[in-house]
Amino acid sequence: MMGMKRKGLIVREPFASMIVEGEKVWEIRKSKTRVRGEILILSGGKALGKAELVDVLGPFTPEELAEHSEKHRASLSFLRDYSGGKPLYAWVLRNAERFDRAKRVKMAKGAQVWANVVVEDE
């Protein structure tokens, strides 16, 4: 199993923990993605858990997304600031699972959204 490349989505806290706990099922981004299937949820250089990326919805305005705050857990003011006037997309996540302990990963420096990672302690 060593050295298998996995797709990881870089998410800031507290949102990363909310995703792996299953409390946040929409990850809001400024672009669409073609990626589907199982992804790792990365934060602070570690994989906290995994989820399935099943769909991308949108485009939405911050106001439209604010009506679904129970799915993405972001406030209207956060969404407005983040969007900077651009449309937003909801990346739909399912079957989230938190690892018993966060796993160290190797990833390229400067990765912003996606990282192809090798999980070091799998």
Side-chain angles (χ1 to χ4, degrees), residues 62-73:
E63 291 71 22
E64 287 167 334
L65 277 175
E67 294 170 25
H68 301 279
S69 60
E70 76 290 346
K71 291 192 173 84
H72 55 69
R73 305 290 181 158

Side-chain angles (χ1 to χ4, degrees), residues 105-121:
V105 294
K106 280 196 179 117
M107 68 169 124
K109 294 245 183 298
Q112 304 265 306
V113 178
W114 289 108
N116 290 311
V117 300
V118 175
V119 177
E120 292 182 345
D121 42 12

